[in-house]
Amino acid sequence: MEQTARKLNQQPRIVHNNEPEKKYIVQSSPYRSKMMKLFAGSMVWIGVMTTMVISANVKLTNAQLNLQDTTSKITKIQGSNTNMKQEISELSSKSRLSKIAKDSGLKMNTKNTRNVTK
């Protein structure tokens, strides 16, 4: 037991080193600074180009949507025009005009009739 007590009473040895701590100075090469600037510049350039590409894609998408909308409107108007032409043709048919004339007590004189088309 005495040996155990001695071990607990012993203090750890502190070694004093009188040598100064070595400091390492890393010298950067002249090319490293240039390479870092080149890398940073290329990153900025890539960011600018990416922004421009995304902006162009957004503008293209908007233009396509506007084109689709305009094409849709044109198709509706063409359909409406076709329907109106059909209605005009039906309303101005010779059989309809003859019926209206007969109902009104009028007679059709074919000598004085002209067909006008535009």
Side-chain angles (χ1 to χ4, degrees), residues 24-74:
Y24 295 98
I25 299 174
V26 178
Q27 292 180 348
S28 64
S29 67
Y31 297 108
R32 182 176 178 155
S33 176
K34 289 180 184 178
M35 292 299 289
M36 291 301 287
K37 288 177 183 176
L38 181 63
F39 179 74
S42 64
M43 287 284 118
V44 169
W45 179 252
I46 289 172
V48 168
M49 293 304 290
T50 303
T51 303
M52 289 174 64
V53 167
I54 291 171
S55 174
N57 280 338
V58 168
K59 288 179 183 178
L60 178 64
T61 303
N62 287 339
Q64 287 174 335
L65 289 174
N66 288 339
L67 177 63
Q68 264 183 331
D69 188 40
T70 304
T71 304
S72 174
K73 287 177 183 177
I74 288 171

Side-chain angles (χ1 to χ4, degrees), residues 5-22:
R6 274 192 218 153
K7 285 182 183 177
L8 290 176
N9 289 335
Q10 288 179 351
Q11 296 292 328
R13 295 166 105 198
I14 298 175
V15 178
H16 292 286
N17 192 356
N18 292 337
E19 293 179 20
E21 192 175 312
K22 293 182 181 179

Side-chain angles (χ1 to χ4, degrees), residues 52-111:
M52 289 174 64
V53 167
I54 291 171
S55 174
N57 280 338
V58 168
K59 288 179 183 178
L60 178 64
T61 303
N62 287 339
Q64 287 174 335
L65 289 174
N66 288 339
L67 177 63
Q68 264 183 331
D69 188 40
T70 304
T71 304
S72 174
K73 287 177 183 177
I74 288 171
T75 304
K76 284 180 183 178
I77 291 172
Q78 285 175 337
S80 176
N81 286 348
T82 302
N83 291 340
M84 287 184 178
K85 285 179 184 178
Q86 179 68 30
E87 188 177 345
I88 289 169
S89 177
E90 289 172 1
L91 292 174
S92 62
S93 70
K94 190 171 185 177
S95 61
R96 180 177 176 272
L97 293 176
S98 295
K99 183 181 175 195
I100 292 172
K102 186 178 178 184
D103 291 344
S104 300
L106 301 173
K107 291 184 181 180
M108 186 77 133
N109 188 353
T110 54
K111 291 180 190 177

